[in-house]
Amino acid sequence: MKFELENSVEVKDKIRSFRAAILPIGAVEAHGPHLPLGTDNLLATRLADKLAERTESFVLPPFSYGQVWSLRNFPGSINVSNEALIRLLADIGESLYQQGFRIFILLNGHLGNAVALKEAARMLYERVPELKVFYFFYPGTKEVTAQVREATAAHSTYMHADEIETSYMLYLADEYVDMTKAIDGAPQIPFEADFTPTPWEEMTSSAVLGDATLATREKGEAIIERSLEVMTEIVLRAKKGIMN
């Protein structure tokens, strides 16, 4: 259910019934020639809707800006600091707790936000320890991703506008994908990139870290549905604990 479409007369009882709120968090950044700047927002929002249906949770209005330091110099990218993101998410979480929510799900569509989400969750643990905070970024998908992937991953940790993320989009938001413009990004990632700040223009001119031409809806469905299974199980277990 969309939280922003509720009214203040009826929402109080619904909060007491649902207890869980999902905040889709994305970013505005370059995603190559075949995907829009708001790819991470689309993925987070569509995924949040599916998770909400399975867990009877509210979906909050999305937070559409993220920490995109690595891609900040690409056309269209908008960067916010970790510090700003942490404080804003912590404030939202505390406000949700005061409204009666007891589960706060940070559903992340952009890996660059991971540090800020974890720190915001820790801050909320100190402020309102009764609020259970989860930060999700496609959990439980390592094995299925390895099974469906055709190309060798450009990096052991992150993917971007490549075979995998483009497959996510083909499953969740295919109307925004132009596969006629998909490319094989073939980035040149230096070994030291994992140990020192490295703007991505030093290793790619397209922001595509892999072969997007290999993306399919079926690959995206397999990975996304596995992630939904994992998240659903975690959230429902938490809701059961709160209700007991």
Side-chain angles (χ1 to χ4, degrees), residues 80-229:
V80 300
S81 68
N82 277 330
E83 293 77 12
L85 191 54
I86 291 166
R87 294 190 63 176
L88 184 140
L89 294 176
D91 285 350
I92 291 174
E94 188 169 359
S95 184
L96 290 171
Y97 177 79
Q98 297 300 330
Q99 287 291 325
F101 286 101
R102 291 298 177 266
I103 299 173
F104 184 26
I105 302 153
L106 304 171
L107 192 53
N108 187 21
H110 173 63
L111 182 59
N113 293 331
V115 170
L117 268 59
K118 187 172 184 177
E119 289 302 314
R122 288 175 171 176
M123 187 176 290
L124 285 167
Y125 186 86
E126 300 297 330
R127 288 190 193 177
V128 281
E130 297 86 0
L131 181 68
K132 187 68 175 179
V133 183
F134 295 109
Y135 38 91
F136 291 137
F137 183 74
Y138 306 108
T141 59
K142 184 177 181 179
E143 291 185 1
V144 67
T145 300
Q147 291 171 1
V148 303
R149 184 191 291 276
E150 294 182 65
T152 301
H155 191 272
S156 59
T157 302
Y158 48 78
M159 46 81 186
H160 196 263
D162 62 346
E163 174 186 1
I164 301 304
E165 189 172 33
T166 304
S167 293
Y168 293 173
M169 282 290 286
L170 288 173
Y171 179 52
L172 291 174
D174 66 332
E175 68 270 33
Y176 297 104
V177 182
D178 186 350
M179 288 301 290
T180 66
K181 296 180 180 178
I183 63 171
D184 181 354
Q188 301 298 317
I189 304 177
F191 174 74
E192 61 271 18
D194 285 339
F195 314 108
T196 188
T198 306
W200 279 17
E201 63 264 26
E202 295 181 11
M203 58 189 189
T204 174
S205 61
S206 66
V208 179
L209 301 189
D211 191 350
T213 68
L214 298 175
T216 67
R217 185 184 190 280
E218 291 73 23
K219 293 175 183 177
E221 181 176 7
I223 301 170
I224 293 298
E225 289 300 318
R226 174 55 184 158
S227 182
L228 279 167
E229 290 174 4

Side-chain angles (χ1 to χ4, degrees), residues 8-75:
S8 62
V9 175
E10 300 172 349
V11 75
K12 185 175 181 179
D13 289 338
K14 291 182 180 180
I15 291 174
R16 288 176 177 173
S17 176
F18 286 9
R19 291 290 187 165
I22 304 171
L23 177 61
I25 306 171
V28 178
E29 63 173 2
H31 274 83
H34 64 298
L35 296 177
L37 297 171
T39 288
D40 296 339
N41 296 322
L42 287 164
L43 292 175
T45 301
R46 300 278 171 99
L47 194 56
D49 289 342
K50 288 181 176 291
L51 181 61
E53 291 177 3
R54 300 185 185 197
T55 60
E56 290 192 325
S57 302
F58 272 119
V59 177
L60 301 169
F63 187 74
S64 300
Y65 300 94
Q67 188 274 104
V68 296
W69 184 91
S70 298
L71 283 158
R72 63 182 178 173
N73 294 323
F74 281 75

